[in-house]
């Protein structure tokens, strides 16, 4: 299964935040939308970085003044992306190898077209396994 299939079912909307937005604003967006990470982008398409709940927690170790700092000061600038043609297995390997939970999906020009989380991958695999189980059960009950 390709990532395009996941995007087709979950949608391609991606929440982004401007690099100069405050960390407090970031926390508000994460909470409001019940997500674990946002793509940092000056224009909603180009990717400057990614910022997650983990980044916020690490930054808070230096004190609450970080809430007034810009998102760019705590974001992860090295973003691992994948094309929509990548397979779920390729994405699982990338997430495991790089210890990341969110992967932006980009087109041929590097433009942002979606994001896939580890939760999306798990849901996709469970749906796939359920389909296989149902097909096997049908095969068995019909007598092969």
């Amino acid at each position: 299964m390709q990532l395009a299939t996941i995007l087709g079912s979950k949608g391609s909307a991606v929440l982004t935040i401007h690099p100069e937005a405050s960390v407090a604003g970031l926390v508000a967006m994460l909470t409001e939308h019940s997500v674990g990470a946002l793509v940092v982008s000056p224009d909603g398409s180009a990717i400057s970085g990614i910022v997650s709940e983990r980044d916020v927690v690490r930054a808070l170790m230096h004190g609450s003044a970080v809430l007034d700092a810009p998102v760019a000061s705590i974001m992860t600038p090295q973003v691992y992306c994948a094309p929509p043609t990548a397979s779920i297995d390729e994405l699982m390997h990338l997430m495991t190898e790089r210890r990341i939970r969110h992967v932006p999906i980009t087109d041929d020009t590097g433009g942002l077209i979606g994001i896939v989380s580890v939760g999306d991958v798990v849901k996709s695999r469970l749906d796939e396994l359920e389909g296989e189980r149902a097909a096997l059960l049908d095969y068995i009950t019909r007598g092969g």
Side-chain angles (χ1 to χ4, degrees):
M1 179 184 300
Q2 292 184 332
L3 300 182
T5 305
I6 290 179
L7 291 181
S9 64
K10 77 170 262 186
S12 60
V14 182
L15 293 172
T16 63
I17 190 162
H18 195 277
E20 295 306 313
S22 71
V23 173
L26 164 69
V27 171
M29 281 187 73
L30 291 171
T31 302
E32 176 185 346
H33 297 284
S34 297
V35 295
L38 297 176
V39 173
V40 181
S41 175
D43 61 7
S45 181
I47 300 172
S48 299
I50 194 163
V51 64
S52 71
E53 296 163 326
R54 282 182 180 178
D55 296 315
V56 173
V57 170
R58 286 184 186 120
L60 284 170
M61 292 297 295
H62 303 291
S64 63
V66 74
L67 293 171
D68 296 323
V71 168
S73 69
I74 71 162
M75 74 179 187
T76 302
Q78 175 65 46
V79 181
Y80 295 96
C81 299
T85 55
S87 71
I88 298 298
D89 289 341
E90 290 170 317
L91 186 68
M92 288 190 304
H93 179 74
L94 173 66
M95 289 176 150
T96 302
E97 181 180 290
R98 297 295 177 183
R99 298 181 54 94
I100 55 178
R101 296 182 291 170
H102 300 86
V103 176
I105 310 304
T106 54
D107 61 20
D108 294 340
T109 66
L112 184 61
I113 59 171
I115 191 165
V116 175
S117 71
V118 70
D120 298 327
V121 172
V122 169
K123 181 184 181 317
S124 170
R125 286 293 291 142
L126 288 174
D127 290 348
E128 187 177 2
L129 290 171
E130 177 59 28
E132 289 174 5
R133 186 196 70 78
L136 285 171
L137 187 59
D138 183 55
Y139 178 78
I140 292 168
T141 56
R142 288 184 181 215

